[in-house]
Amino acid sequence: MSDTATAAPVATQPDPAAGVRPLRIALIGNPNSGKTSLFNQLTGLNQKVGNFPGVTVDRKSGFSQLTPVQRAEIIDLPGTYSLYPKSLDEKVITDLLYDRTAANYPDFVVVTVDANNLRRSLLLFTQLGDLGLPAVLALNMMDVAERHGVKIDLPALERELGVPIIPMNARKGIGVAALKIVMAQRLDAPPVRCWEPDEKLLPLVRQIRYYFDLHNDYLALHYAQQYRHISFLSPDDKTYLQELTHKYGFDAMAQQAAETIARYARINEILLETVTVTRTETREPVSNHIDKVLTHRVGGYLLFLGILFTLFQAIFAWAQYPMDWIDQGISALSATIQANFHGPLVRLLTEGVLAGLGGVLIFIPQIALLFGFLAVLEETGYMARVTFLMDKLMRPFGLSGKSVVPLISGLACAVPAIMGARTIESWKDRMITIFVTPLMSCSARIPVYTVLVALVVPDQATWGIFNLRGVALMGLYLLGLFSALGSAWVLKKVLKARERSYFIMEFPVYQWPRWKNVGLTIYQKVQAFVLQAGKVIVAISVLLWVLASYGPGQKQATAEAQVRQQVATQGWDEDEVSRRVASARLENSYAGSFGRALEPAIRPLGYDWKIGIALLTSFAAREVFVGTISTIYSVGQDADMGTLQQKLQAEKDANGQPFFTPARAFSLLVFYVFAMQCMSTLAVTYRETKSWKWPLAQLLYMTGLAYVAALVVYQVLA
């Protein structure tokens, strides 16, 4: 073991040939050590950053201009505590670092380390150094360490570790310029080794080195340890390693434990020489007192419920004014166009494009408020405490503690949430989490929820301070949560999972939100909603307008003639005649024919053919429901009836009574709580499970659950 400081940190002059291709640099570190903040500072990108472990579950890359002539590709890797991966996200790191012949193999690594938790962070760093990887140590959160009286002798630490060390604050960009200067150099492998395999292991290690032509004993040892999970090894390679480890009686667990103990002993020696603590905390930290309140077994849940109440009140109360402005603006624009221009193209623009576009734009204020609230909670460190609280709630239902993060993330979007399940080691726990995560109400359901709740729930206060609509909205979110828990419990019984899992989370420090990050989160989410969902909604709206405006043969003309024949006998006024003509033409259009074909299946739920069309189109994405009904109910309508809510409230059933009764609206709401209507979610489930069995099972289960629940609600309330 080379435990002496034999070499200074090494940085030679740039290689003239370096301009042939950009340097490739990997960012590695413990979870929540500031890797993604540093990645954003280096690349100028805006990857999601959170005061929350496990934000990065896949590798991301971007480019950084280190000097006027030197460019580098920066790869942000998932956080890990060691090179012994336990979950899929951590295996991304070993797959990248263990194969020097791979096209993406990095030229060197930047290891981000929390200066306030140096002992824990150095375990990973010493492993990377012993692999022979050229490295730079980015000593992050120096401000936090200084506040706690931690003084680090940087020159001494550089000598002990044999690598350049850059003190920095990645959140504020302090130290990034110095880091770029060091990164622009051609670094050599650190000359210091903190640990080397025992002599008894050398025969095994040397055989592996020879067979795979490896440069390093420690890397060969990791082949022996992890060959079952190294993806680039062929079946023959794995068989060879299995036979070899069996021949030498290699005990992977015992070796790993002995190595970890030895490393921490060496790390303790280094820290004794390089770190001093100038202030001893005599009082319990304030954060501990706050934690006791936020994670209290009763008060913690009540506080969380109070925050949720406030969030949902805000979504209805604060967003209402800008929503009204957008709605009225779209209506005024549509009416102006219809008043001044005429023809089929004008109708296509107003009843198709503008109606669909209005169905997208009106929900921007609510989407912005939801993600603004969630970003603030995450930035402050509160969401990490929420996951701790939810862990206790979820365990009785058979979910893993590590399921909490994907399920909470599912409130925003199921796609990244399902990818977040990679942190779960147990296969069964991971499959259950992936299966039930789409039951959490994502942001795509907000447009459906708010339109229908506003239609049938009075806008009045309850319990003194809460708005009844906000209470209804929160009830829908809780329904999604409890259905996910119940489904997980059932699936756990079906899969007969008996593995016991654990949940360890390091609470991040409390900090004031970075408003730039909050603003970026809001902007990115709104942009994604408008551009991704908006394109689909507008395209479907235009298609629907065509299908709803034209019909097969002479069916529409015949239906209109029959209505007009009844005018004299029924005594209808002009407005009533126009409404009945428009209704008859729509019913006999192509869209009406499709809806009629679907109607027998959904009639028990109280739905008619118009809702059937909306259900059909929203199977691609839930939010399309609103755009569809905006278009369907705009075709042939008077332009003065501007808002979507007015159109829905004016809709009558065959008996002339309001069509959207509480029974129908709540039946629809329950259907959308449970239904799997997101192609992206199905695609990511397939990607994560590598099988069509799971997404198909998800689709059938959730659709069946939605149908039965909606049927029960309608039959009970009707």
Side-chain angles (χ1 to χ4, degrees):
M1 183 185 300
S2 304
D3 56 359
T4 57
T6 56
V10 273
T12 58
Q13 292 301 311
D15 185 342
V20 174
R21 72 162 175 82
L23 288 172
R24 187 175 296 113
I25 301 168
L27 296 184
I28 303 177
N30 290 170
N32 216 30
S33 63
K35 284 183 296 78
T36 307
S37 292
L38 180 57
F39 176 81
N40 288 342
Q41 291 283 356
L42 289 170
T43 62
L45 297 177
N46 294 309
Q47 291 294 339
K48 180 178 171 57
V49 179
N51 188 15
F52 197 88
V55 170
T56 307
V57 296
D58 203 353
R59 72 180 188 186
K60 301 179 177 70
S61 66
F63 285 89
S64 176
Q65 196 71 39
L66 302 179
T67 69
V69 296
Q70 180 65 66
R71 200 160 178 253
E73 181 186 4
I74 311 296
I75 304 171
D76 184 22
L77 294 168
T80 183
Y81 290 103
S82 79
L83 287 181
Y84 293 105
K86 303 295 182 188
S87 53
L88 284 181
D89 59 327
E90 294 175 344
K91 290 186 177 68
V92 171
I93 298 169
T94 54
D95 283 343
L96 180 70
L97 300 183
Y98 289 0
D99 184 10
R100 297 189 76 179
T101 63
N104 292 323
Y105 189 78
D107 296 298
F108 65 90
V109 296
V110 174
V111 187
T112 57
V113 166
D114 178 355
N116 198 42
N117 287 299
L118 203 50
R119 181 175 182 272
R120 185 201 63 200
S121 304
L122 285 181
L123 176 67
L124 173 64
F125 172 80
T126 59
Q127 290 178 324
L128 291 166
D130 289 346
L131 281 181
L133 284 166
V136 178
L137 192 70
L139 203 54
N140 195 25
M141 305 183 198
M142 287 295 289
D143 54 331
V144 178
E146 288 171 3
R147 281 204 302 272
H148 288 87
V150 177
K151 299 291 185 186
I152 302 172
D153 184 342
L154 296 179
L157 189 58
E158 281 186 339
R159 288 193 300 274
E160 292 289 344
L161 299 178
V163 297
I165 297 177
I166 307 297
M168 61 191 316
N169 181 338
R171 276 168 61 96
K172 297 181 179 177
I174 298 172
V176 172
L179 181 63
K180 282 188 173 183
I181 293 173
V182 174
M183 289 164 66
Q185 312 298 310
R186 281 282 174 176
L187 300 179
D188 296 328
V192 176
R193 293 286 181 272
C194 287
W195 183 86
E196 290 181 353
D198 190 88
E199 286 188 1
K200 291 185 291 188
L201 295 171
L202 290 182
L204 168 68
V205 166
R206 296 288 158 78
Q207 281 200 45
I208 295 174
R209 276 192 67 174
Y210 178 78
Y211 185 85
F212 290 99
D213 191 23
L214 303 177
H215 69 290
N216 183 288
D217 283 350
Y218 188 55
L219 179 59
L221 183 64
H222 273 266
Y223 273 53
Q225 282 268 4
Q226 303 175 42
Y227 66 88
R228 294 184 182 86
H229 308 297
I230 298 176
S231 61
F232 57 81
L233 292 179
S234 68
D236 289 342
D237 290 338
K238 292 182 180 181
T239 302
Y240 171 76
L241 287 166
Q242 183 180 18
E243 291 173 353
L244 200 62
T245 51
H246 181 72
K247 172 184 172 184
Y248 284 98
F250 181 67
D251 186 339
M253 291 298 293
Q255 187 281 322
Q256 182 183 341
E259 178 195 333
T260 304
I261 292 169
R263 283 189 184 280
Y264 272 121
R266 174 62 189 141
I267 290 168
N268 288 339
E269 291 173 8
I270 294 173
L271 296 184
L272 279 173
E273 297 295 326
T274 58
V275 177
T276 55
V277 180
T278 59
R279 188 176 71 243
T280 304
E281 297 287 351
T282 55
R283 293 181 302 176
E284 189 174 3
V286 175
S287 62
N288 286 5
H289 294 290
I290 300 174
D291 283 343
K292 286 178 182 174
V293 174
L294 297 186
T295 60
H296 189 270
R297 60 182 178 178
V298 178
Y301 291 106
L302 293 177
L303 184 64
F304 183 49
L305 281 175
I307 290 173
L308 286 182
F309 261 119
T310 306
L311 169 62
F312 294 124
Q313 295 298 310
I315 285 177
F316 263 109
W318 299 352
Q320 195 56 51
Y321 292 110
M323 288 178 72
D324 287 346
W325 297 335
I326 294 171
D327 202 12
Q328 290 163 7
I330 295 286
S331 299
L333 177 62
S334 180
T336 302
I337 293 173
Q338 287 197 11
N340 293 283
F341 303 96
H342 303 284
L345 288 179
V346 173
R347 288 183 55 220
L348 169 62
L349 177 64
T350 56
E351 297 173 359
V353 177
L354 283 181
L357 198 60
V360 177
L361 298 180
I362 193 174
F363 297 103
I364 287 178
Q366 292 179 329
I367 299 286
L369 269 175
L370 173 68
F371 284 104
F373 262 98
L374 291 178
V376 169
L377 296 178
E378 193 173 308
E379 283 277 324
T380 56
Y382 178 66
M383 286 305 284
R385 277 76 184 177
V386 170
T387 57
F388 173 76
L389 276 176
M390 298 302 286
D391 174 48
K392 293 180 180 176
L393 180 67
M394 291 180 178
R395 281 191 179 276
F397 294 92
L399 276 168
S400 158
K402 289 192 174 181
S403 306
V404 176
V405 174
L407 289 178
I408 294 290
S409 302
L411 292 175
C413 178
V415 173
I418 286 174
M419 292 173 65
R422 293 178 188 177
T423 59
I424 302 171
E425 296 92 352
S426 162
W427 178 83
K428 287 180 180 174
D429 286 354
R430 184 166 168 264
M431 290 302 108
I432 292 171
T433 304
I434 289 174
F435 193 85
V436 304
T437 293
L439 286 166
M440 301 294 286
S441 287
C442 64
S443 60
R445 290 170 166 113
I446 286 185
V448 184
Y449 288 174
T450 51
V451 161
L452 294 172
V453 167
L455 202 60
V456 294
V457 178
D459 184 12
Q460 65 184 44
T462 182
W463 303 333
I465 56 173
F466 297 116
N467 184 284
L468 203 55
R469 290 178 175 176
V471 174
L473 187 59
M474 182 171 170
L476 295 169
Y477 274 78
L478 290 178
L479 180 61
L481 169 64
F482 288 119
S483 66
L485 295 178
S487 301
W489 185 83
V490 172
L491 195 55
K492 198 92 174 180
K493 297 292 181 187
V494 171
L495 293 178
K496 298 178 180 175
R498 293 178 182 173
E499 299 172 65
R500 299 194 65 173
S501 61
Y502 57 90
F503 179 52
I504 300 173
M505 170 172 276
E506 179 188 3
F507 283 169
V509 295
Y510 290 107
Q511 56 191 17
W512 194 249
R514 288 166 289 188
W515 296 111
K516 179 185 174 185
N517 273 354
V518 174
L520 279 173
T521 301
I522 294 172
Y523 171 75
Q524 289 171 346
K525 297 301 181 184
V526 169
Q527 184 189 44
F529 175 72
V530 172
L531 296 184
Q532 294 176 13
K535 283 187 290 190
V536 178
I537 290 172
V538 171
I540 289 180
S541 297
V542 171
L543 177 64
L544 275 174
W545 179 85
V546 173
L547 293 175
S549 298
Y550 301 95
Q554 296 298 313
K555 284 186 68 176
Q556 284 186 304
T558 305
E560 181 177 345
Q562 290 174 349
V563 171
R564 294 194 182 281
Q565 285 175 2
Q566 299 175 46
V567 172
T569 56
Q570 299 295 330
W572 295 328
D573 59 21
E574 189 175 339
D575 289 342
E576 182 64 16
V577 173
S578 297
R579 191 185 71 78
R580 288 183 178 270
V581 167
S583 177
R585 290 186 64 86
L586 182 60
E587 194 169 345
N588 288 279
S589 65
Y590 290 111
S593 300
F594 288 132
R596 289 291 180 194
L598 190 64
E599 196 170 22
I602 57 175
R603 192 178 296 125
L605 281 63
Y607 309 158
D608 67 354
W609 60 272
K610 293 180 182 177
I611 294 178
I613 294 172
L615 291 178
L616 201 60
T617 55
S618 62
F619 261 95
R622 297 177 180 92
E623 56 270 44
V624 174
F625 173 83
V626 177
T628 300
I629 59 173
S630 295
T631 303
I632 291 287
Y633 287 104
S634 293
V635 175
Q637 288 282 3
D638 189 336
D640 292 337
M641 188 181 288
T643 68
L644 174 61
Q645 191 168 340
Q646 286 176 319
K647 292 169 184 170
L648 297 182
Q649 285 172 337
E651 182 69 4
K652 306 291 183 186
D653 64 13
N655 300 319
Q657 299 299 312
F659 179 79
F660 283 97
T661 61
R664 284 196 177 92
F666 281 113
S667 173
L668 263 176
L669 284 168
V670 168
F671 185 90
Y672 274 92
V673 168
F674 297 131
M676 165 58 84
Q677 292 173 297
C678 181
M679 298 300 287
S680 301
T681 300
L682 292 172
V684 80
T685 299
Y686 168 73
R687 178 186 163 190
E688 294 297 307
T689 60
K690 305 284 189 292
S691 165
W692 279 111
K693 179 179 70 176
W694 288 97
L696 285 175
Q698 240 176 2
L699 177 64
L700 293 175
Y701 171 74
M702 292 180 64
T703 305
L705 181 64
Y707 188 92
V708 172
L711 176 66
V712 170
V713 168
Y714 180 72
Q715 296 299 329
V716 169
L717 296 181

